[in-house]
């Protein structure tokens, strides 16, 4: 009974700590806390200090005030997109996490990096944390690769958006009222925008090159359940279904087909990323079964010396005497001759 109480108290403290981080840093409300432990933290050649390391799914927090379920005011937040690499240091139970610095004109400059040295007092914890942070670095690289693919910034789409969109320049903390009252598609050109529910909870962060409101745009309905707020100075484009866009697409069928195909791709990408974040696992991965079949076929063909993938029936029949195989062909079916006088096997089946 006492062990059960200890487990429940630990879970309750972890949940309070998760909520405290979400409220302090404005993280999405579905962010999950996976690991919390104490370590030594040093930036470059600076002085080391004891901190509490909190690993979330898409963030990492370093808290120097590591007592209780509250988060300290001097805590530092590291986003998943800042992670570049992790490597073991020369000392035992020490690893170096490399972070990307400030973005320059929307680009991640690998040369602008910061090294965080993390030291632990247990080898098992070091290995476990190394595997987790390595997985986060791989995920960060995949995320940056997806963000480089911007379908709305092709020359064709850029010229269309210049003629059919309205431009909003937002300051940090400024609300975009049109996002709650119109059924438009909003594209974030620069900066970052957070979508906040009516209860004040952040459920999505929209970064440079991404868009929001695509489902409302497709269904022609307003989004009254959230508010768009700029996290940084941002430029947002509003694309309305009516007016200039409707006239441009009405006269150009290939352009209309291309535009709505991109909207469908954006919706599919958002839904897939949401499902993978909410229900992680191998079931959501795209597996090419035909490529695997071809690979297996090539391996077996190499081993069997050119026979390839034969069925088990014909493999057995090839090992039997020639006379038996001849009788099988002549008397295996109806025996009626086919075209050209050749006998048919199995009644043509």
């Amino acid at each position: 009974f006492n062990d059960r109480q200890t487990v429940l108290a630990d879970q309750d403290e972890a949940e309070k700590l998760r909520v405290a981080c979400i409220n302090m840093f404005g993280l999405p409300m579905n962010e999950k806390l996976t690991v919390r432990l104490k370590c030594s933290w040093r930036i470059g050649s600076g002085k080391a200090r004891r901190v509490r390391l909190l690993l979330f799914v898409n963030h990492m927090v370093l808290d120097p005030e590591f007592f209780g379920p509250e988060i300290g005011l001097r805590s530092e937040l590291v986003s998943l997109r800042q992670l570049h690499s992790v490597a073991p240091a020369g000392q035992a139970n020490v690893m170096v996490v490399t972070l990307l610095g400030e973005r320059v004109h929307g680009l991640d400059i690998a040369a602008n990096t910061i090294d965080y040295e993390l030291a632990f007092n247990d080898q098992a914890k070091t290995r476990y944390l190394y595997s987790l942070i390595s997985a986060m670095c791989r995920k960060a690289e995949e995320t940056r690769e997806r963000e480089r693919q911007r379908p709305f910034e092709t020359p064709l789409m850029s010229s269309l958006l210049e003629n059919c969109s309205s431009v909003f320049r937002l300051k940090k903390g400024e609300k975009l009222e049109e996002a709650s009252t119109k059924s438009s598609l909003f594209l974030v050109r620069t900066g970052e925008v957070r979508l906040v529910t009516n209860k004040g909870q952040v459920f999505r962060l929209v970064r440079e090159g991404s868009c929001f409101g695509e489902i409302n745009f497709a269904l022609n309905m307003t989004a009254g359940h959230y508010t768009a707020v700029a996290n940084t100075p941002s430029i947002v484009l509003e694309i309305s279904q009516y007016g200039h866009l409707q006239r441009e697409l009405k006269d150009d069928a290939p352009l209309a087909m291309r535009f709505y195909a991109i909207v469908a791709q954006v919706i599919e990408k958002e839904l897939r990323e949401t499902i993978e974040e909410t229900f992680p696992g191998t079931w959501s991965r795209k597996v090419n079964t035909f490529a695997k079949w071809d690979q297996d076929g090539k391996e077996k063909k190499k081993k069997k010396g050119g026979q390839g993938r034969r069925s088990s029936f014909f493999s057995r029949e090839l090992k039997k005497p020639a006379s038996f195989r001849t009788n099988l062909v002549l008397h295996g079916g109806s025996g009626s001759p086919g075209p050209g006088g050749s006998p048919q096997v199995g009644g043509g089946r």
Side-chain angles (χ1 to χ4, degrees), residues 296-308:
D296 293 342
K298 291 179 182 179
E299 292 177 357
K300 292 187 177 182
K301 183 176 181 180
K302 183 177 180 181
K303 292 179 180 179
K304 291 187 177 182
Q307 289 185 5

Side-chain angles (χ1 to χ4, degrees), residues 96-149:
V96 178
V97 181
T98 303
L99 308 180
L100 293 173
E102 295 293 332
R103 306 184 76 193
V104 180
H105 301 294
L107 300 176
D108 294 311
I109 307 301
N112 186 18
T113 58
I114 306 172
D115 289 337
Y116 281 6
E117 185 179 281
L118 303 177
F120 305 90
N121 55 5
D122 184 63
Q123 186 177 8
K125 291 181 180 179
T126 306
R127 291 180 177 178
Y128 178 62
L129 264 297
Y130 184 83
S131 63
L132 289 181
I133 298 177
S134 298
M136 293 179 68
C137 292
R138 290 192 296 269
K139 183 180 178 181
E141 184 60 33
E142 294 174 359
T143 302
R144 288 191 289 268
E145 184 63 29
R146 285 199 304 265
E147 289 182 349
R148 294 188 188 102
Q149 301 173 3

Side-chain angles (χ1 to χ4, degrees), residues 157-213:
M157 289 294 107
S158 297
S159 61
L160 177 65
L161 296 182
E162 288 180 3
N163 300 327
C164 305
S165 62
S166 303
V167 182
F168 296 92
R169 302 181 184 273
L170 305 177
K171 299 179 181 179
K172 182 178 180 179
E174 185 178 354
K175 294 183 180 180
L176 182 61
E177 301 295 342
E178 285 76 8
S180 305
T181 59
K182 295 183 179 179
S183 60
S184 300
L185 177 67
F186 297 91
L187 176 64
V188 180
R189 279 290 193 183
T190 60
E192 182 181 80
V193 175
R194 68 178 184 269
L195 304 183
V196 187
T197 63
N198 297 331
K199 295 183 179 180
Q201 297 176 324
V202 180
F203 72 93
R204 187 183 172 192
L205 295 176
V206 186
R207 293 176 173 83
E208 180 179 339
S210 302
C211 59
F212 63 95

Side-chain angles (χ1 to χ4, degrees), residues 280-327:
T282 56
W283 66 272
S284 59
R285 298 177 184 173
K286 294 182 179 179
V287 180
N288 189 350
T289 56
F290 295 99
K292 179 65 177 174
W293 188 91
D294 293 339
Q295 182 180 1
D296 293 342
K298 291 179 182 179
E299 292 177 357
K300 292 187 177 182
K301 183 176 181 180
K302 183 177 180 181
K303 292 179 180 179
K304 291 187 177 182
Q307 289 185 5
R309 298 176 62 92
R310 295 183 181 271
S311 67
S312 58
F313 174 79
F314 284 102
S315 299
R316 291 194 303 268
E317 296 304 326
L318 286 174
K319 298 177 182 179
K320 294 184 178 181
S323 59
F324 180 83
R325 293 203 304 269
T326 305
N327 294 335

Side-chain angles (χ1 to χ4, degrees), residues 244-264:
H244 296 288
L245 179 65
Q246 192 175 22
R247 288 193 293 269
E248 290 282 344
L249 299 183
K250 184 178 180 180
D251 300 333
D252 194 342
L255 179 62
M257 181 177 62
R258 177 63 179 165
F259 175 79
Y260 286 109
I262 291 177
V263 172

